[in-house]
Amino acid sequence: MAQLMASTNPAFMNGVPELLVLRLLRSREMYGYEIVQAIREETGEVVNLAEGVIYPLLHALERGGALTSRRTAVNGRSRIYYALSPRGVSRLDELTGLWSRLTQALHQVIKGEGYVPGV
Amino acid sequence: MAQLMASTNPAFMNGVPELLVLRLLRSREMYGYEIVQAIREETGEVVNLAEGVIYPLLHALERGGALTSRRTAVNGRSRIYYALSPRGVSRLDELTGLWSRLTQALHQVIKGEGYVPGV
DNA sequence: GCCATATACCTATTGCCTATAGGTATGATG
DNA sequence: CATCATACCTATAGGCAATAGGTATATGGC
């Protein structure tokens, strides 16, 4: 579709990796490689984010103060566990709210029922 | 949030303008300026896409064969009405399916394990 | 002992698509 | 006769996902 529909930037994925990572870390501490697989499994293969997406994102979130990290050796291998900070929690709430409002708004348009003002 | 949370590329908007434009044009022929306002109104002000987003998108969609256009004068002003082509219909179906699968997958992850969103 | 696979981390580069910030021109309102 | 609404337009910036590499250790098969 011309410039649209690229190989990179597939439709609707903007912000989704961040939301998923934050949401997964809300339940428990996890490490990068584990997060990659958890996203694939918990979305039923619908979302499949490579390590090249997740690792830079984890670093950016940590730099931004949303995550803290802890390095440990498990079975002779090094793992870096990430945990949500209070700031990460509020960012998650923010993104969840945005996502919720957007999906509701789009649902209304897609379903073809006009906007119902008021409430 | 560091590199995240930019002024441009706000979360979750990737692909949304295209989906909205195609969906609106499914009901009837519309012109650009009208689409801009329809998006604002029908999403209940949740989505507000400026003309600088919509016009280039309409041009790209027409170039890609998803839309056809028709120029008319109304009240001494020039309007360009756009209509969905068969290709635009299948593109809309494709995007709608993608959107549906993504929202369902995310819903599952977001609501999982009784997460109570912050007030 | 060796080699493929799984685990576990990493970075550099590409490029789409949204957002911003302008611009032109006509009709209507006060 | 100026301001606002209508109606079109383009150029530029930049964030974020995707790709495609890379390093290194453990494990199981042959």
Side-chain angles (χ1 to χ4, degrees), chain A residues 3-6 9 31 33 51 55 59 79-80:
Chain A
Q3 303 297 51
L4 309 171
M5 219 193 157
N9 272 5
Y31 56 98
Y33 190 80
E51 299 171 29
Y55 285 115
H59 302 157
R79 287 183 186 169
I80 301 176

Side-chain angles (χ1 to χ4, degrees), chain B:
Chain B
M1 214 59 43
Q3 303 297 49
L4 309 172
M5 223 194 152
S7 58
T8 60
N9 272 3
F12 311 128
M13 285 305 290
N14 191 327
V16 167
E18 187 184 358
L19 174 58
L20 284 172
V21 165
L22 293 175
R23 181 58 186 87
L24 287 173
L25 290 175
R26 192 187 162 100
S27 314
R28 59 186 173 89
E29 231 184 18
M30 294 176 83
Y31 56 99
Y33 190 81
E34 185 186 13
I35 292 175
V36 169
Q37 301 170 91
I39 288 176
R40 200 188 321 114
E41 288 164 17
E42 295 199 30
T43 62
E45 319 284 319
V46 172
V47 181
N48 194 350
L49 299 171
E51 298 171 30
V53 172
I54 296 304
Y55 286 115
L57 175 57
L58 288 170
H59 302 158
L61 287 170
E62 185 178 20
R63 274 199 311 274
L67 302 182
T68 60
S69 70
R70 174 176 72 83
R71 165 165 260 142
T72 317
V74 178
N75 293 336
R77 279 204 200 83
S78 182
R79 287 183 185 169
I80 301 176
Y81 279 89
Y82 291 91
L84 263 195
S85 70
R87 195 162 165 157
V89 173
S90 67
R91 173 63 173 161
L92 172 57
D93 289 344
E94 182 188 357
L95 283 182
T96 305
L98 270 174
W99 177 254
S100 172
R101 270 182 284 130
L102 181 61
T103 50
Q104 282 171 39
L106 282 209
H107 184 70
Q108 213 157 22
V109 175
I110 290 173
K111 77 165 184 181
E113 333 256 327
Y115 162 50
V116 181
V119 186

Side-chain angles (χ1 to χ4, degrees), chain A residues 25 28-32 34 62 68-74 79-83:
Chain A
L25 289 176
R28 59 185 172 89
E29 231 184 18
M30 292 176 84
Y31 56 98
E34 183 186 13
E62 185 178 19
T68 60
S69 69
R70 174 176 73 82
R71 166 165 258 144
T72 317
V74 177
R79 287 183 186 169
I80 301 176
Y81 279 90
Y82 290 91

Side-chain angles (χ1 to χ4, degrees), chain A residues 11-27:
Chain A
F12 311 127
M13 286 305 290
N14 191 326
V16 168
E18 187 184 358
L19 174 57
L20 284 173
V21 165
L22 293 175
R23 180 57 186 87
L24 287 174
L25 289 176
R26 198 186 156 85
S27 313

